Amino acid sequence: MNNDISNVQVYKEEIADLVNAHDKGDYLRVLLLSPQLLILILNKIANEADELFSSMWEKNITDDDKEVYKIVGRLEREQNDKTYIANCLVNYYENHYWGKDKSKKEFVKYFTKLEDLISLRNEFAHEYYASKASNKRVKNCSKGALDLVFLFANHEYLNAA
């Protein structure tokens, strides 16, 4: 995965802030803020995709179809963080983003990072002082959160924006 901040097209300052927090050992900051940043990035990708597809298909889609797709798109964006991000990972899997031979393996790897991130974020949000999470798990989860952020922040639709 390319975690080079210079290749990022959106939310560069926010991503740099999370990278710096991780490097300084402020993993809690990364765990609490990265899911929201992922949602912002994914919304930006969705908006770019909407614009791209509407310009390509505008003459073939009725106004009713556009209205229905807009409503469903809004509903998808209102899902909980984990479901929304997981659906985007499924899209990468279905489109063989990682190549046909590695798609399942990469999907499972990123989905596992997502599950751990959301689980640990929720644990800390509700039981920070009672949490028994090991420092190694917290650090690894923080790194996984950054991997997810960079995965989507380097999306091809964002390069054209």
Side-chain angles (χ1 to χ4, degrees):
M1 179 50 25
N2 184 1
N3 286 1
D4 183 1
I5 194 77
S6 65
N7 294 330
V8 171
Q9 301 296 317
V10 294
Y11 301 108
K12 199 174 236 179
E13 288 179 31
E14 292 85 349
I15 294 170
D17 177 58
L18 291 182
V19 169
N20 289 333
H22 176 81
D23 291 345
K24 291 178 182 174
D26 189 0
Y27 308 125
L28 182 62
R29 181 176 182 79
V30 178
L31 296 176
L32 294 179
L33 296 179
S34 59
Q36 184 58 38
L37 183 56
L38 281 164
I39 297 301
L40 291 172
I41 292 168
L42 293 173
N43 283 341
K44 181 78 171 154
I45 292 170
N47 290 339
E48 294 298 325
D50 288 347
E51 287 181 28
L52 175 67
F53 291 121
S54 68
S55 69
M56 290 171 47
W57 302 105
E58 196 162 89
K59 56 188 168 278
N60 299 324
I61 296 178
T62 68
D63 288 339
D64 288 345
D65 290 343
K66 288 178 196 175
E67 179 82 18
V68 168
Y69 295 137
K70 248 185 200 175
I71 291 168
V72 170
R74 189 176 64 236
L75 177 65
E76 287 175 347
R77 291 181 188 137
E78 292 173 358
Q79 297 174 38
N80 71 48
D81 296 354
K82 184 177 176 181
T83 303
Y84 185 45
I85 298 165
N87 283 334
C88 293
L89 288 172
V90 168
N91 185 277
Y92 273 32
Y93 168 78
E94 290 174 341
N95 291 302
H96 305 292
Y97 174 81
W98 298 287
K100 193 168 184 137
D101 296 336
K102 294 169 50 175
S103 231
K104 179 185 174 211
K105 180 181 176 186
E106 291 296 307
F107 170 81
V108 170
K109 177 177 86 174
Y110 283 102
F111 186 80
T112 303
K113 290 177 187 212
L114 173 63
E115 279 192 312
D116 198 32
L117 169 62
I118 299 300
S119 170
L120 197 53
R121 180 206 56 186
N122 290 344
E123 180 180 330
F124 281 166
H126 300 289
E127 303 170 10
Y128 178 73
Y129 293 104
S131 175
K132 304 254 192 272
S134 72
N135 288 339
K136 183 177 179 180
R137 178 180 176 214
V138 173
K139 181 179 181 180
N140 287 340
C141 190
S142 176
K143 174 68 173 101
L146 292 175
D147 290 343
L148 283 162
V149 166
F150 278 101
L151 173 69
F152 293 113
N154 291 318
H155 192 282
E156 65 183 331
Y157 290 167
L158 299 176
N159 293 330

